[in-house]
Amino acid sequence: MSRAVATTVSGGPASSFLLKKFMSSILYHFVTILPLQQLQAVKTQMDEEIQHLTSSYAQLKQAQVKFSDSIESLSNMDGRQDQSILIPLTSSLYVPGALANVDKVIVEVGTGYFVDKSIPDAKDFYKSKVGFQKGNLETLQGTITQRESQYKILIDVMNTKMNEAQAQQKDAAAVAATAGGAK
């Protein structure tokens, strides 16, 4: 079996490319048979979906930045025992405090659950979270790119249909003017 065939069969980059091309051609043929009014409804739905996906991407990116900031904060704890610090209560309210134990930290592991962890374990935890978010961001970016490509196809078809409708109206008006002038 040739390498290209093996790559396609195994689900490698070649099959991904072919699948995208196939799906794009199916989408193109599907939207060309819809009337302009239905295409407008599909466009509205796609606008909302792309906006939602983009918003989700921004939220995931923000979470990834927070995890990265946590890693940096953990790195800055060395030698700070009994040193005065400001502890955030809210985003704009801080109270003075001191680090009593710089060997362990309390880490939120999800949905309000907290666990004592050593500094290296906490760093590893946040590094795994950053990696997990990176994978999610890559997947979501691929989905956004795919939807934007489909959206462009939809817009092209809508523009073609509107141009055809305008041309038909001009032709009908020309035929009506010619028929009216022949009397």
Side-chain angles (χ1 to χ4, degrees):
M1 184 183 304
S2 75
R3 183 178 174 152
V5 172
T7 304
T8 303
V9 171
S10 68
S15 67
S16 176
F17 174 76
L18 291 175
L19 181 61
K20 286 179 183 177
K21 286 297 237 183
F22 178 69
M23 293 305 290
S24 292
S25 81
I26 288 176
L27 175 69
Y28 181 80
H29 293 297
F30 173 71
V31 296
T32 56
I33 61 173
L34 292 175
L36 196 54
Q37 187 176 12
Q38 286 181 335
L39 290 176
Q40 186 61 38
V42 171
K43 178 186 174 289
T44 301
Q45 183 179 359
M46 287 184 82
D47 281 335
E48 291 171 2
E49 182 180 7
I50 291 170
Q51 183 179 12
H52 174 73
L53 290 171
T54 304
S55 173
S56 295
Y57 184 89
Q59 290 172 356
L60 282 174
K61 189 67 175 171
Q62 186 177 25
Q64 185 186 36
V65 167
K66 285 183 180 183
F67 293 139
S68 295
D69 288 347
S70 295
I71 294 169
E72 185 178 330
S73 295
L74 289 168
S75 297
N76 292 330
M77 287 186 58
D78 290 336
R80 292 204 170 209
Q81 189 157 345
D82 298 324
Q83 190 175 12
S84 294
I85 61 168
L86 291 175
I87 302 168
L89 292 180
T90 67
S91 61
S92 61
L93 179 62
Y94 293 80
V95 295
L99 294 174
N101 181 359
V102 293
D103 297 328
K104 289 205 173 254
V105 292
I106 299 173
V107 176
E108 182 180 6
V109 293
T111 62
Y113 289 98
F114 297 86
V115 175
D116 281 341
K117 288 190 177 279
S118 67
I119 300 293
D121 287 347
K123 283 182 183 179
D124 290 343
F125 173 78
Y126 284 120
K127 285 178 184 175
S128 72
K129 288 286 200 178
V130 167
F132 180 72
Q133 293 294 38
K134 181 180 179 184
N136 286 340
L137 286 167
E138 289 170 355
T139 301
L140 191 54
Q141 182 61 49
T143 302
I144 291 169
T145 302
Q146 180 185 26
R147 292 298 185 270
E148 287 174 340
S149 172
Q150 293 169 348
Y151 185 80
K152 288 176 185 173
I153 291 170
L154 178 68
I155 295 299
D156 288 345
V157 170
M158 287 178 69
N159 287 336
T160 301
K161 286 192 176 235
M162 285 190 285
N163 289 339
E164 288 173 357
Q166 287 175 349
Q168 286 176 352
Q169 287 175 349
K170 284 181 185 178
D171 289 347
V175 168
T178 305
K183 287 184 182 181

